[in-house]
Amino acid sequence: MRELSEEQLDGLMDRIREARDHNLALSSDDYDVLMSAMLMLANMQERLHNNDLTLTKLKKLLGMVGSSEKLSKLRPDSANEDPNAKPARPKGTHGRKGKNKRRTGIPTTRPTVHHHSIDSLSKGDSCPGCSLGKVYKYNPATLLRITAHSPLTREQHIIEQLRCNGCGEVFTAELPEAVRTDGRADQQYGYSAIAMMGIQRYYGGSPLYRQETLQQLFGVHIAASTQFDQCQKLADACQPVFQQLKALAADAQRYYLDDTTNRILNKVPIEKERAGRTQWRSGVYTSAALAECILSEPGSGPPEGTLRRLVLFQTNIGHAGEWLDELLRARNPELGKPVLMSDALSSNHVTEAQYDKALCNAHFRRGFAELVDQHPGEVVFVLECYEPVWANEAHCKRVALDSGQRLAYHQEHSLPHMNKLKAWCEQQLSEAGSVEPNSNLGQAMAYLVRHFEGLSAFCRVLNAPVDNNEIKRLIKLIVRARKNSLFFKTQNGADVSDVITSILATCTECEANAFDYLQCVQRNQLAVRAMPEKWLPWNYPTDK
């Protein structure tokens, strides 16, 4: 957001009045400032219309206060600190961030190596400079050159043909192997081009029309409708894998679940039944699920299996809990209860299966952090109680504790802080005059007391997470695409997005090269359709 001083704002208003009175035009910079102000006003009006904007959120939206939720930033005495002072560095650290904050494990593409020889001179020849000595092999010089290419390029292949004047048989030259593996002989758009379109649209969040105009800058015009047709072909090729991922996700041991609103223009209300109630529904949501499964894979991993993280999306009328109900109907009844991590909304919980409920502590902590201006003392106390919880979780990951050791560690070191926090909230709510139950602070305290069993599940239930940040990170793929494209026109467009985005996100989680994988799936569609379990992102044949 652009900040203007009082003098700059007065000057802008004077220029607007002068332009209005004398029918003049404003500068491009003034137009940019006005456009930013109009967009901010429209966003604020939309948030006020939804009745979900508190005073603290309004200040953050207007840029009047920072959006940091770190305890060091929320302490009352932090406002008196010098904003230009460098933050204190923990002991034993060098103060520098690592080169890669989150390493994906996907191998880096090696550069193409070109050897350049000296044609006019060979080993043992006389030196052309002094004519006295002889030249010998020396350390080669190297140059690493980074070059750029258009995402989509055009290649025209002229295939020579010969025809017999006796029998009329035609002999055709054979295409190079690289061309044959990228598509059939009559295929205009290669598998690599289709994979690139899908990745840019559904993982990069670039709308098809934007890709069309971008390609025009490179001199390669491909209409947006043509790109969608190719993406639909990609989704059809990946459909068997998508269905296989859903079947595997039904037997997962842990789920992260959430949803976000979306739009399908031609969607009409439908009648749905949930928990014994039938009603007409029209709300469209994109539901996201991260399922963690232990899969037995011969020849790889430990004997008990390998942990796989499957990402699935579905855009339709209905909430995430209803979609997970559909997935769990195919669950093996002999398996134990899964762990479900979500927020406390009942719409995100399943109703047709047994499960261990875990609720997001980050969601609850955020509710308190937003009240730091109104109740600084109480909020800092809550955040100080919560601080060891994430520190203990980080310790468990750092020393690689197994599930049982992690549970025991949290029971010993985190549960006392959770119980202390619950007792304090109950005391504040029970004492007359301490906290108004209907105030924002009272409702936040009541939320902890009411949902304490789910919030403290990581101290009681094996494999229960502390927060739901994993799925929050993944659902940003949908939010990014929605901000750029705004809506889907048909359910078919939403289905194509769900299939391709699920495959790409799963490739990221299992550290597979999505570009190579999508090409391989297209190249072997019949084999994928026959045995999709052998063509998953982590076990597909890479030599085909």
Side-chain angles (χ1 to χ4, degrees):
M1 180 180 296
R2 183 169 181 176
E3 295 184 1
L4 296 177
S5 64
E6 185 174 354
E7 293 78 7
Q8 292 174 325
L9 184 59
D10 290 339
L12 176 62
M13 295 175 63
D14 292 339
R15 291 192 296 274
I16 294 175
R17 294 191 188 97
E18 184 179 0
R20 181 195 59 188
D21 296 339
H22 302 284
N23 197 22
L24 301 176
L26 296 173
S27 66
S28 59
D29 187 63
D30 289 342
Y31 281 123
D32 292 339
V33 174
L34 291 175
M35 181 60 69
S36 299
M38 292 176 62
L39 291 175
M40 182 186 67
L41 179 60
N43 189 16
M44 185 174 64
Q45 287 180 334
E46 182 180 359
R47 295 293 300 274
L48 290 172
H49 179 72
N50 295 333
N51 296 324
D52 65 343
L53 195 63
T54 63
L55 183 59
T56 302
K57 291 181 180 179
L58 179 60
K59 289 181 178 180
K60 290 182 180 180
L61 183 64
L62 296 176
M64 299 173 63
V65 297
S67 59
S68 174
E69 295 180 359
K70 293 183 178 180
L71 180 57
S72 58
K73 300 294 184 181
L74 296 177
R75 293 183 187 275
D77 54 354
S78 64
N80 300 324
E81 297 179 357
D82 183 8
N84 298 321
K86 294 183 178 180
R89 187 171 71 239
K91 294 182 179 180
T93 63
H94 49 64
R96 297 189 301 271
K97 293 183 179 180
K99 292 183 178 180
N100 295 319
K101 186 176 180 181
R102 182 175 182 270
R103 301 184 64 89
T104 62
I106 300 176
T108 304
T109 303
R110 293 185 177 274
T112 302
V113 179
H114 301 276
H115 293 276
H116 305 279
S117 59
I118 304 177
D119 297 333
S120 60
L121 200 60
S122 301
K123 176 183 176 182
D125 292 347
S126 298
C127 174
C130 66
S131 302
L132 298 177
K134 296 183 181 296
V135 296
Y136 61 93
K137 287 286 186 179
Y138 191 61
N139 294 332
T142 60
L143 168 65
L144 180 62
R145 173 66 53 80
I146 307 298
T147 59
H149 302 278
S150 168
L152 303 174
T153 58
R154 294 181 294 184
E155 296 179 354
Q156 185 174 10
H157 299 273
I158 307 299
I159 307 171
E160 182 178 338
Q161 296 188 125
L162 298 176
R163 184 174 185 271
C164 174
N165 60 3
C167 64
E169 184 176 356
V170 176
F171 300 90
T172 304
E174 188 175 357
L175 289 170
E177 182 180 0
V179 179
R180 297 198 308 270
T181 57
D182 199 34
R184 303 183 306 274
D186 60 342
Q187 184 174 329
Q188 181 177 5
Y189 295 95
Y191 298 138
S192 58
I194 298 174
M196 180 61 69
M197 294 177 192
I199 291 174
Q200 289 191 122
R201 171 64 181 89
Y202 298 107
Y203 200 89
S206 178
L208 297 178
Y209 181 74
R210 184 181 302 171
Q211 293 188 49
E212 175 186 339
T213 55
L214 178 63
Q215 280 299 135
Q216 288 179 341
L217 294 177
F218 296 105
V220 181
H221 174 72
I222 301 179
S225 58
T226 301
Q227 294 182 58
F228 178 76
D229 291 341
Q230 303 307 312
C231 289
Q232 187 164 15
K233 293 179 180 179
L234 177 62
D236 293 340
C238 295
Q239 185 66 230
V241 178
F242 180 67
Q243 296 300 327
Q244 182 66 22
L245 291 178
K246 292 173 65 175
L248 294 175
D251 295 335
Q253 66 175 7
R254 179 165 62 181
Y255 299 94
Y256 296 84
L257 192 67
D258 199 7
D259 57 22
T260 183
T261 58
N262 220 321
R263 293 184 66 192
I264 301 177
L265 293 185
N266 67 352
K267 199 69 175 177
V268 296
I270 61 174
E271 194 173 13
K272 296 191 69 174
E273 181 180 354
R274 178 170 170 82
R277 294 180 55 192
T278 301
Q279 55 183 352
W280 287 93
R281 305 274 296 280
S282 60
V284 176
Y285 294 85
T286 295
S287 302
L290 170 61
E292 295 185 342
C293 312
I294 300 294
L295 303 179
S296 299
E297 300 170 13
S300 64
E304 63 272 13
T306 305
L307 178 66
R308 296 299 181 187
R309 294 159 62 89
L310 317 179
V311 185
L312 297 171
F313 297 99
Q314 174 173 282
T315 303
N316 210 326
I317 294 178
H319 289 282
E322 301 171 75
W323 177 49
L324 190 57
D325 270 329
E326 298 176 6
L327 290 178
L328 292 179
R329 288 169 190 165
R331 185 177 180 84
N332 187 348
E334 298 180 358
L335 296 176
K337 295 189 296 183
V339 177
L340 173 58
M341 162 55 71
S342 67
D343 55 35
L345 289 175
S346 60
S347 58
N348 288 340
H349 296 154
V350 299
T351 60
E352 301 179 7
Q354 297 293 324
Y355 66 96
D356 289 320
K357 180 171 65 174
L359 299 181
C360 179
N361 284 278
H363 185 273
F364 166 71
R365 183 188 183 279
R366 187 174 301 110
F368 263 99
E370 293 175 349
L371 305 177
V372 67
D373 293 335
Q374 294 85 3
H375 309 280
E378 292 84 349
V379 170
V380 170
F381 174 79
V382 172
L383 301 188
E384 287 177 343
C385 289
Y386 251 123
E387 190 173 22
V389 171
W390 275 278
N392 295 335
E393 179 68 10
H395 171 78
C396 295
K397 293 180 179 179
R398 185 168 57 252
V399 300
L401 300 182
D402 61 27
S403 300
Q405 294 171 335
R406 171 183 176 273
L407 179 61
Y409 189 87
H410 275 302
Q411 288 176 344
E412 180 181 357
H413 297 90
S414 299
L415 187 58
H417 296 283
M418 297 294 293
N419 289 332
K420 174 184 176 181
L421 185 57
K422 179 188 177 185
W424 178 77
C425 289
E426 291 176 336
Q427 179 184 3
Q428 294 293 315
L429 292 172
S430 61
E431 292 182 355
S434 296
V435 176
E436 169 58 42
N438 293 325
S439 65
N440 291 337
L441 181 63
Q443 291 178 359
M445 292 179 176
Y447 181 94
L448 173 68
V449 175
R450 186 168 63 253
H451 298 293
F452 182 76
E453 183 178 356
L455 293 171
S456 62
F458 66 96
C459 299
R460 298 178 293 98
V461 179
L462 202 66
N463 294 317
V466 174
D467 54 52
N468 206 23
N469 289 342
E470 289 288 336
I471 200 63
K472 295 291 186 183
R473 168 179 59 85
L474 291 168
I475 209 168
K476 287 181 179 180
L477 293 172
I478 304 300
V479 175
R480 179 169 56 195
R482 184 185 63 199
K483 288 175 68 68
N484 288 331
S485 301
L486 302 181
F487 54 80
F488 298 105
K489 183 178 181 181
T490 65
Q491 181 65 53
N492 177 60
D495 293 340
V496 170
S497 171
D498 294 337
V499 172
I500 299 179
T501 310
S502 299
I503 297 296
L504 293 175
T506 302
C507 286
T508 302
E509 294 301 313
C510 69
E511 300 178 348
N513 188 317
F515 184 63
D516 292 342
Y517 175 70
L518 292 181
Q519 294 181 72
C520 193
V521 169
Q522 295 177 83
R523 195 178 302 122
N524 301 275
Q525 293 187 41
L526 295 179
V528 173
R529 193 173 295 114
M531 302 186 69
E533 67 276 5
K534 295 187 178 296
W535 294 86
L536 296 168
W538 56 85
N539 67 352
Y540 70 100
T542 57
D543 57 341
K544 294 187 178 181

